[in-house]
Each structure stands twice: as structure tokens, then as C-alpha cells.
Amino acid sequence: MKRLFINIGKLIQVEQGDLVQRRCGKEMSSLGIIENGYLLTDDDLISDFGMMSQLTDERLKCMMPDESVDVCGRMVLPTFCDSHTHLVYAGSREIEFFDKLKGLSYSEIAARGGGILNSAKLLHEAAEDDLLKQALLRAREIVSFGTGAVEIKSGYGLSLEDELKMLRVARRIGEFTPLTVKTTFLGAHAVPARYTGRREEYVDEIISEMIPVIATEELADYIDVFTEEGFFSVEDTDRILNAGMKYGLRPKVHANQMSFSGGVQVGVKYNAISVDHLEYTGEEEFRVLKESETMATLLPGATQFLEMDYAPAREMIDYGLPVAIATNYNPGSCPSGDMRYMMFLGALKMKMTPNELINATTINGAYAMGLEETHGTIAVGKKANFLITAPIPSIEFIPYAYTSSWIDKIYLNGRLWQNL
Ligand SMILES: [Zn+2]
């Protein structure tokens, strides 16, 4: 099925010739734009694009489109690539949110049914199909917000059986929706209650029992550790990432969220595809990242929810680093999977420009999931995943009007998405 989209006011984030893997530093300001363009899709792929003036009768005859769609001057851009979520979970934690605002301590909240360990309890009690049903609602919701590819982590299981359950559900989201899904094993999200005071023994279980099974069943693309005081140390992280590497699992690390934890350094040591959070980063982390192939992924939704200081995105970009933005969609610190809102926070709180924000939420997010060859830009041979905007005045309107429904139509794998 060939579909031709004509009269595109601005075709945004196009690439011709050699494709970039990611954009770093100053390159994050560049954005390929075709004014008054066309786009041709062939089944699930982009097969051609260019300026309307190049669309001669002869060319049209060669294309032989089955269907023609007049975009009437609106804009077209790639769907978002959200490279960090925990969207498979049971229940929600809004009561905890208000308890925290009332001034309750972490232990008081845990006693009332909050915290990661309580998410683990709810997940343990949920039947797999019920968990899938709950997660599918969130997955369909993020598609309606413009996301086309997503990474989903385990980490509320904290036992082999429940981690497997989460990862199977995450994989099934890719079968039940048109989302491209990458999965990450995050057994080291928190120390489960049965190992209280014996953290290292839980790390042993992750290494000797969980990783071999999860790798053999091919349920995870990546491995992750929450490297932070009170969670897992740099030494624990080193052991887990080393074990994962032996099974072909490339790391992504929850790093430097609450302190200068050393998470960035240990992640880069194992060639992590991304290190995420990064509220606490300085010259030393910048230097290590600059010499690496690791993406710096920022999660401003969680920073806002936890009322912390934001990651130094401006300094990172000025230093020449690549920056991606993701939602961290999860029940405890960011109950939103809306990349449009993350763009707004990136602008307001991290002083990123519209072009930098588009690169951070498309090609750099794709890179942080190993999807840069198929997603993240409009290029021949890539997935036909794109948004058609409502009539909007400018590209700047996108990160500015964060509650406007500026997305009119969503195409995933070359097909118009309808939320049925
Ligand atoms: Zn996270």
C-alpha cells in the first residue's frame, strides 16, 4: 500500500544521505526542514519525500500511489521516542502523593501502602492478563500523546517469577499496539523485603538466578540498575552490569539522581547505551560522557514531581554532549507519559531550544533504545511513524502550547492510528 501525503507546510526532522546516529552539542540545534513538501510511504516504511515542486507528473506516474492525502499546509514530524518508562505496574500511588504533600515521612508512607515495595506487592498479586490490561491503557494513552517507540522496564517484580511476568507483559504491549517496544531488566530497582539488611545476597540472586533465565528467554534488550545511596552501590552495579554483559545485555543506568553517585562512571565503563536522570552531574561526569558512546537521558517530569533541581541540560549541550529527554512514566515519581509536557519542562526549566527539544525527543531518544536506524527522523527506509499537526503557527508552538491538542493525526508503521 503506497500512500502519498501532499502539501505538507513543513516536513520536520528530515534526513538525506548519510544518516546520523545521534546529535551532540551544537548539532542538536540543527533540524532538517522541507517547506511545502510531500512524503510517500510504502506499507510500514518511508519510501520518498521532497519538495512539492519536485512532484512532476512523470514522478507521480512512477510512484503510483494507492491513496493520496492532502495535508493542507500542516506540519509533519516524527513520532516521539520515549527511552525510559516503567509503564507496566499494578494500581497507582495518588494517595501516597497527597500523604507526601501533607508532610508524611517515607516510612510512614510505606506503612500506609506507598513506595516501590508496595508497588511490588500489588504487582505480585495482579494476574498477568490484568497487568497487561492496565498497562495497555497507558500504552494507548502515550500513543495518543504522539509516542511511537518506547522502552519499558521491569523492576516492580523483584523476584524471578514476577520480573518475568513484567517483561512478558512489556513484550506483549508491542504485539497488542503499533508501538515499537524495547524492554529492560531492572531487578536492581530496590531491595525486596525478604532481603532486608542483606542487599548483597539479593545482588547474588540477580546475578546467578535472574539474569541467566531472562537472557535465555530473550525477554530483555537491556539491563539497568538504580545506582544510589540506599539502593545499589557502585560495586553492586559493577557486578550486575558485568554479569549482564556476559549474557549480551547492554546497560542503561539510573544514575546521579539524588547524589554524585558514581553511576555515570560505572555505566560508561560498561559502555551503557544511556545513563538516565543526571540531576547531579558536573565537570567530571561531563568529561567521562564526552569520551563515550553513552546518551545522557534527562527525565524532567520526575525532577518536577520530586521538586528537585533540574539536570544541567544547557551546560551539557554547550559542553558538546548529546541529550535525550524521556518521561520516566511510573506511579511513584512521574505519573505522566506525555512527551509534549516533557518538552515544555525542557524549555522552561532546562532552557533548551525548540530544535534541541525535537532532537532530544526523537533521534536521541531513538539512539538511547538502539533504534536510530529505524526511528527518530524522516528518512527513506525508516519506519513510517509520524504526526500530522493541527493548524499551528510555528515549530515553537509545539513545546509552548503544552495543553493544546496540536496533534491531529498519528501514523504508526504507515497506518493511521485510531484508538478503538
Ligand atoms: Zn526510572
Side-chain angles (χ1 to χ4, degrees):
M1 169 85 179
K2 283 186 177 179
R3 209 172 262 127
L4 178 65
F5 297 84
I6 57 168
N7 298 322
I8 301 171
K10 282 187 199 310
L11 184 56
I12 299 167
Q13 186 65 312
V14 294
E15 278 195 288
Q16 280 156 316
D18 287 343
L19 304 186
V20 299
Q21 291 192 307
R22 57 180 188 164
R23 291 209 167 100
C24 308
K26 280 195 180 70
E27 296 160 8
M28 286 188 67
S29 298
S30 66
L31 202 60
I33 297 170
I34 290 178
E35 308 268 353
N36 197 18
Y38 72 86
L39 175 70
L40 182 70
T41 63
D42 190 350
D43 291 334
D44 60 332
L45 300 178
I46 293 166
S47 61
D48 191 18
F49 62 85
M51 290 186 286
M52 282 302 289
S53 56
Q54 296 168 316
L55 203 56
T56 56
D57 284 350
E58 206 175 322
R59 194 143 186 178
L60 261 173
K61 235 183 245 170
C62 288
M63 280 180 186
M64 292 199 299
D66 301 288
E67 188 186 312
S68 191
V69 179
D70 190 344
V71 174
C72 302
R74 296 171 184 210
M75 299 188 202
V76 168
L77 68 156
T79 51
F80 300 122
C81 298
D82 187 354
S83 65
H84 183 137
T85 82
H86 307 250
L87 70 76
V88 173
Y89 57 84
S92 50
R93 284 161 50 186
E94 65 280 10
I95 306 303
E96 172 184 345
F97 170 61
F98 285 99
D99 282 347
K100 201 172 74 175
L101 294 178
K102 274 187 235 157
L104 266 65
S105 70
Y106 185 81
S107 53
E108 286 168 324
I109 288 170
R112 287 183 172 208
I116 293 175
L117 296 185
N118 282 296
S119 281
K121 190 167 159 266
L122 289 174
L123 186 125
H124 178 70
E125 288 160 1
E128 188 163 328
D129 282 343
D130 185 39
L131 190 61
L132 176 67
K133 222 163 141 187
Q134 295 188 41
L136 273 175
L137 287 175
R138 297 177 201 119
R140 294 192 176 114
E141 183 192 36
I142 67 167
V143 175
S144 74
F145 296 156
T147 294
V150 65
E151 182 257 16
I152 305 174
K153 299 175 196 295
S154 68
Y156 296 120
L158 309 179
S159 70
L160 176 59
E161 190 192 341
D162 289 343
E163 288 289 303
L164 287 170
K165 178 163 81 174
M166 281 190 82
L167 290 168
R168 280 194 300 267
V169 167
R171 282 274 195 246
R172 285 167 75 192
I173 286 173
E175 294 161 18
F176 282 83
T177 71
L179 282 165
T180 302
V181 175
K182 289 281 188 170
T183 59
T184 301
F185 169 54
L186 177 59
H189 195 193
V191 178
R194 68 184 185 283
Y195 279 105
T196 303
R198 298 183 296 125
R199 190 188 76 237
E200 283 171 17
E201 290 174 43
Y202 179 54
V203 173
D204 291 340
E205 184 184 322
I206 290 174
I207 291 171
S208 59
E209 292 175 36
M210 295 192 190
I211 292 174
V213 176
I214 284 161
T216 308
E217 296 201 12
E218 297 184 355
L219 282 171
D221 301 297
Y222 301 105
I223 186 163
D224 198 341
V225 177
F226 189 12
T227 309
E228 199 61 64
E229 178 80 35
F231 292 86
F232 295 90
S233 68
V234 167
E235 292 70 33
D236 300 332
T237 310
D238 197 295
R239 289 180 61 209
I240 293 167
L241 299 188
N242 193 291
M245 198 179 65
K246 288 179 185 153
Y247 283 92
L249 296 172
R250 197 171 168 192
K252 289 170 82 71
V253 179
H254 280 69
N256 297 49
Q257 182 187 7
M258 317 278 186
S259 65
F260 289 93
S261 63
V264 169
Q265 288 86 338
V266 70
V268 168
K269 177 181 168 188
Y270 287 99
N271 192 29
I273 195 162
S274 72
V275 287
D276 303 23
H277 278 296
L278 309 182
E279 280 84 347
Y280 286 83
T281 45
E283 191 69 25
E284 158 76 9
E285 286 79 11
F286 286 14
R287 195 179 50 73
V288 168
L289 282 168
K290 185 81 183 276
E291 287 157 21
S292 75
E293 294 176 353
T294 301
M295 178 59 65
T297 300
L298 311 184
L299 311 168
T303 315
Q304 182 197 44
F305 197 92
L306 299 172
E307 299 184 290
M308 294 169 60
D309 289 334
Y310 288 79
R314 193 64 268 144
E315 288 84 346
M316 287 176 173
I317 295 169
D318 293 344
Y319 193 86
L321 299 181
V323 166
I325 286 181
T327 63
N328 192 19
Y329 195 178
N330 79 86
S333 65
C334 189
S336 166
D338 193 337
M339 290 288 273
R340 300 170 302 177
Y341 183 61
M342 304 305 146
M343 286 179 115
F344 166 71
L345 290 177
L348 183 72
K349 297 295 187 181
M350 303 198 294
K351 312 301 175 216
M352 291 171 69
T353 66
N355 286 9
E356 289 169 347
L357 290 163
I358 290 173
N359 279 309
T361 52
T362 58
I363 186 63
N364 283 0
Y367 179 92
M369 294 186 271
L371 290 174
E372 70 277 7
E373 287 180 11
T374 50
H375 292 70
T377 60
I378 303 287
V380 171
K382 281 199 176 186
K383 282 274 176 205
N385 280 10
F386 55 89
L387 310 171
I388 301 177
T389 69
I392 58 172
S394 61
I395 292 177
E396 286 80 358
F397 190 85
I398 292 171
Y400 153 81
Y402 62 94
T403 58
S404 290
S405 51
W406 57 263
I407 298 172
D408 184 37
K409 289 192 171 61
I410 299 160
Y411 281 85
L412 291 177
N413 307 315
R415 297 174 69 159
L416 179 64
W417 183 74
Q418 283 160 316
N419 194 5
L420 301 173

